[in-house]
Amino acid sequence: MSKPETNIQPPAAAGPLSVGRTSRFQIFVGKGLDASEPIVELLIRIFGWSAIFFVLAIFVFVVIEAVPVFASEHFSFWEFLTSGSWRPTSPVREQFGIAALMYGTFSVTILSMLIAVPIGLGAAVYISEFAPPKIKETLKITIELLAAIPSVVWGFIAVLVLGPIIVKTTGAQDGTNMLNAAIVLALMSVPVIVSVSEDSLRAVPDSFREAAMALGAGKWEIVYRVLFPAAKNGLLAAVLLGVGRSIGETMAVLMATGHSVNVSLNPLQPVRTLTATIASELGEAVVGDTHYRVLFLIGIVLFIFAFVVNLTADLIVKGIRGQQND
Amino acid sequence: MFKFLTISKNLGAILLAAAFGLTACDKKDDGKGTGGAKPAAAGGKSIVIDGSDTMLNLAQKWTEVYRGVKPDVQIQVNGGGSGVGIAGLIAGTLDLATSSRKLSEKEIAKAKSEHKGKEPREYIVGMDALAVYVHLNNTLDSIAIDDLAEIYGEGAKITKWSQLGGKVGMDNDAIVVISRQNSSGTYAYFHDAVLGKKRDFKLGTRDMSGSVEVVHTVAITPSAIGYSGMGYKTNDVKWLKISKIKGEPAIEPSIETVKSGTYPIARPLLIYTMGEPSPHAKEFLDWIMSPKGQEIVKEQGYVPL
């Protein structure tokens, strides 16, 4: 005798517990979860909107603290952008020129990208195309570890380890300089670049590789003639993310650059970045003072740089052709 | 109908999120209040100290020993630089501001306007000689304040050790000029005492964040020169004797020369409070200026009163 189909679940418990036979308890909990669904949905909506809200709030806060500086008589926006003299606490004449600081940020970022991009892309290509599976996994984990090192620890490494090495190998007088900071920033950016590049290389369909092989391409040829052009949006995005990391880095460059208001093409000379300036001086600036507001203005400048970099990365990823026409 | 539901759900979420976020806003819009530790009201016994990096070791040692004298008083010590301490004094976020330089007119005015009816009080708690450190390989023994100004000041004319007759044992003897960041009281005092009020520091000095860092960098860089409190001397550096005017005898920093006033760049170590300090903070201050506290000053390498 076949049992009638009485084991069909009651439709009331149509929530997450509706798999298999439903006990009364499960129905009870299921009904509770169903009832809570609109609450959960509201919570999730709140979290989503609050993310946008907080970003906007931060931006508004920085702008509110910075903008009154334009009304101050000590401050000249032209001098701010073009002068290399940063002397905000001078008893003689306060000067707020950030040209040397911008040079510091740019020079260190560009130099670090010159080091990080070949290493990062090379590692990504190796991991994605050439490494045997075991080595692939080990390498990926090790490179992620590099990303886990706190930035102030990198600062210590820069001063205590890299500094003496640079002095010994280049004969520089002092080991904390543009080169030191560039190396440290490169090491910090490499994990970012490797992760994103490796992802975009893996996203290229195998059919591309197979087609190239069928046409007789060697492995390396496949990489630079097929994969790079196909993955170029992702690779460019990876590089720009690395740039964003380098521009925003504070503690490590504070210690590694020698923190000196100095403009020089020689990478063995010290420099000072915008981020390190804010970090070292904001504590001392009296709230509401011109110095204080100028530091927030520097924050806005950094915001703009980061925004431009991220926007460019976004546009490139969307495949819009900028200056990178093939 | 469905669209309205979605919009109103989202609107509800936005409003709730915004309301939550706005609770974080402070209603004080006169620019006051950088947050941080608020000094305790008369009931709780705690003292917040912030300020001079030069005095940091000293303040920490005082705190450590005072814990044995008055164990029920909680003392918190920080050292972001005299400028940070003074900014905290003005913002009202600390009890005692340690400083290795005097308050400027501007700062006194700002403090008075932020705290109506109160004046900053100054307590001298010790003396310190500002020592000029060089690497052990450096053959130079003494320097005049004028030459020091030509190394550190704007338009610096002295850029190589050979101009002063010194040798550092390297081919490249360009002077590596080590200074401090501008939150430092040591920096401000050096500016006053060596460069004077009419001359700026030159750009391109390496600005260290603390007294220890200056001495450490000089110890490993043969062509470096740096200034720091006399209490920070280590065996890896040597200090230069200073002469006020070129040709005059050069004086070595020591307790005697500071007390007698012959060492030209010595300064008082100060603690500032806003108005009258709380009773337990006053007790601490009195203890610091007593023989017990001054013994610690001497131990730490500074000059007692």
Side-chain angles (χ1 to χ4, degrees):
Chain A
M1 199 159 96
S2 65
K3 269 210 174 131
E5 299 178 276
T6 49
N7 287 345
I8 298 176
Q9 301 86 331
L17 294 186
S18 58
V19 182
R21 289 179 55 162
T22 327
S23 70
R24 281 229 292 261
F25 175 69
Q26 282 176 310
I27 296 176
F28 176 73
V29 175
K31 281 200 174 135
L33 283 169
D34 284 341
S36 67
E37 227 177 87
I39 302 178
V40 174
E41 190 190 330
L42 180 65
L43 266 179
I44 291 177
R45 278 182 199 268
I46 293 179
F47 291 152
W49 284 108
S50 57
I52 302 178
F53 177 73
F54 286 130
V55 170
L56 278 179
I58 291 175
F59 184 68
V60 164
F61 169 67
V62 173
V63 167
I64 287 181
E65 295 296 320
V67 160
V69 79
F70 288 103
S72 156
E73 327 90 42
H74 306 281
F75 179 75
S76 142
F77 193 53
W78 181 247
E79 188 201 19
F80 178 73
L81 290 178
T82 57
S83 162
S85 300
W86 174 257
R87 292 194 179 100
T89 56
S90 160
V92 181
R93 184 174 90 89
E94 291 172 347
Q95 295 175 292
F96 298 108
I98 64 166
L101 306 176
M102 287 200 283
Y103 174 78
T105 298
F106 281 140
S107 62
V108 156
T109 301
I110 292 176
L111 193 53
S112 77
M113 284 301 110
L114 285 175
I115 301 172
V117 169
I119 297 179
L121 284 186
V125 166
Y126 177 68
I127 291 177
S128 152
E129 306 301 315
F130 296 101
K134 254 210 178 149
I135 299 193
K136 196 195 287 238
E137 284 316 304
T138 322
L139 266 182
K140 285 183 82 162
I141 296 176
T142 320
I143 291 182
E144 294 300 325
L145 271 178
L146 260 183
I149 300 180
S151 123
V152 70
V153 173
W154 280 117
F156 285 145
I157 295 177
V159 172
L160 298 174
V161 176
L162 256 185
I165 293 178
I166 289 181
V167 168
K168 240 192 264 189
T169 50
T170 61
Q173 296 176 301
D174 185 34
T176 54
N177 44 40
M178 195 202 296
L179 179 63
N180 191 330
I183 294 176
V184 164
L185 282 179
L187 290 172
M188 286 196 275
S189 309
V190 156
V192 171
I193 296 180
V194 167
S195 290
V196 179
S197 306
E198 201 255 324
D199 280 345
S200 39
L201 284 172
R202 222 170 352 118
V204 176
D206 271 337
S207 54
F208 282 45
R209 296 182 182 81
E210 287 161 7
M213 270 202 280
L215 289 171
K219 241 188 162 185
W220 182 235
E221 260 192 303
I222 298 180
V223 167
Y224 75 80
R225 301 202 72 179
V226 176
L227 296 181
F228 276 178
K232 80 168 176 287
N233 289 344
L235 297 179
L236 230 22
V239 170
L240 286 170
L241 280 173
V243 169
R245 175 94 207 254
S246 296
I247 289 185
E249 187 47 54
T250 305
M251 273 326 289
V253 293
L254 174 59
M255 298 162 105
T257 49
H259 207 55
S260 170
V261 180
N262 184 31
V263 176
S264 162
L265 285 174
N266 182 355
L268 299 176
Q269 285 278 309
V271 289
R272 191 201 271 218
T273 60
L274 295 166
T275 46
T277 301
I278 298 179
S280 65
E281 298 187 10
L282 192 56
E284 179 240 358
V286 177
V287 176
D289 228 12
T290 311
H291 185 190
Y292 172 86
R293 299 206 186 280
V294 171
L295 289 172
F296 273 91
L297 196 56
I298 294 182
I300 294 184
V301 170
L302 281 169
F303 241 123
I304 294 176
F305 287 162
F307 178 68
V308 166
V309 166
N310 281 316
L311 186 65
T312 319
D314 242 1
L315 290 176
I316 291 180
V317 165
K318 290 205 172 88
I320 297 174
R321 277 150 179 238
Q323 316 104 329
Q324 300 281 340
N325 272 320
D326 233 358
Chain B
M1 173 63 198
F2 188 60
K3 206 171 169 194
F4 169 73
L5 200 57
T6 318
I7 294 178
S8 62
K9 275 198 220 175
N10 281 327
L11 258 158
I14 297 173
L15 286 173
L16 277 171
F20 175 65
L22 286 169
T23 56
C25 277
D26 232 1
K27 273 312 161 198
K28 285 187 262 176
D29 41 353
D30 53 351
K32 222 186 344 173
T34 40
K38 287 256 174 269
K45 288 213 183 164
S46 93
I47 306 178
V48 176
I49 305 178
D50 197 352
S52 168
D53 175 83
T54 299
M55 291 169 67
L56 183 59
N57 287 354
L58 194 49
Q60 283 171 334
K61 195 69 201 219
W62 278 329
T63 303
E64 210 183 295
V65 177
Y66 194 68
R67 211 171 280 146
V69 175
K70 281 261 155 67
D72 55 333
V73 181
Q74 297 267 57
I75 308 182
Q76 181 189 330
V77 180
N78 294 304
S82 307
V84 176
I86 291 172
L89 185 76
I90 296 175
T93 55
L94 44 72
D95 295 294
L96 303 177
T98 49
S99 176
S100 57
R101 65 162 171 92
K102 285 196 178 294
L103 283 178
S104 69
E105 299 291 328
K106 234 175 81 178
E107 286 161 344
I108 298 179
K110 185 103 201 217
K112 289 216 268 229
S113 74
E114 290 287 324
H115 301 263
K116 301 268 184 279
K118 285 197 191 171
E119 272 197 0
R121 296 260 179 113
E122 181 182 285
Y123 300 87
I124 302 182
V125 295
M127 308 267 293
D128 177 34
L130 193 55
V132 177
Y133 295 101
V134 293
H135 194 263
L136 287 172
N137 290 359
N138 197 322
T139 57
L140 208 60
D141 252 327
S142 62
I143 196 169
I145 291 195
D146 295 327
D147 287 335
L148 215 43
E150 283 308 315
I151 296 178
Y152 275 91
E154 182 161 17
K157 299 205 195 68
I158 299 182
T159 52
K160 290 183 193 286
W161 285 111
S162 43
Q163 288 171 270
L164 288 168
K167 281 200 271 278
V168 293
M170 279 173 69
D171 287 331
N172 180 6
D173 70 339
I175 304 180
V176 173
V177 183
I178 314 265
S179 182
R180 293 285 304 278
Q181 289 161 15
N182 55 32
S183 56
S184 160
T186 309
Y187 168 94
Y189 173 74
F190 188 86
H191 192 146
D192 239 359
V194 174
L195 299 175
K197 297 221 184 292
K198 293 265 166 41
R199 190 173 187 181
D200 268 323
F201 268 101
K202 72 180 242 190
L203 298 171
T205 55
R206 290 157 189 277
D207 307 328
M208 303 285 128
S209 57
S211 316
V212 173
E213 225 185 314
V214 170
V215 173
H216 171 78
T217 310
V218 171
I220 58 175
T221 312
S223 44
I225 184 172
Y227 56 85
S228 200
M230 64 191 280
Y232 287 90
K233 180 172 192 298
T234 63
N235 290 335
D236 304 316
V237 291
K238 67 183 212 191
W239 52 32
L240 297 176
K241 306 208 227 311
I242 312 286
S243 57
K244 198 145 187 214
I245 303 178
K246 229 192 294 218
E248 273 187 9
I251 316 287
E252 173 144 11
S254 74
I255 294 185
E256 295 76 36
T257 55
V258 170
K259 277 210 163 128
S260 63
T262 47
Y263 187 69
I265 41 178
R267 61 223 174 120
L269 297 175
L270 307 163
I271 292 186
Y272 284 101
T273 60
M274 202 64 221
E276 188 66 37
S278 62
H280 47 275
K282 186 82 180 45
E283 266 181 10
F284 187 42
L285 274 170
D286 289 334
W287 179 83
I288 288 177
M289 295 191 280
S290 75
K292 286 245 172 58
Q294 291 300 305
E295 210 181 289
I296 296 177
V297 171
K298 194 161 174 198
E299 259 174 51
Q300 291 291 312
Y302 301 96
V303 179
L305 295 168

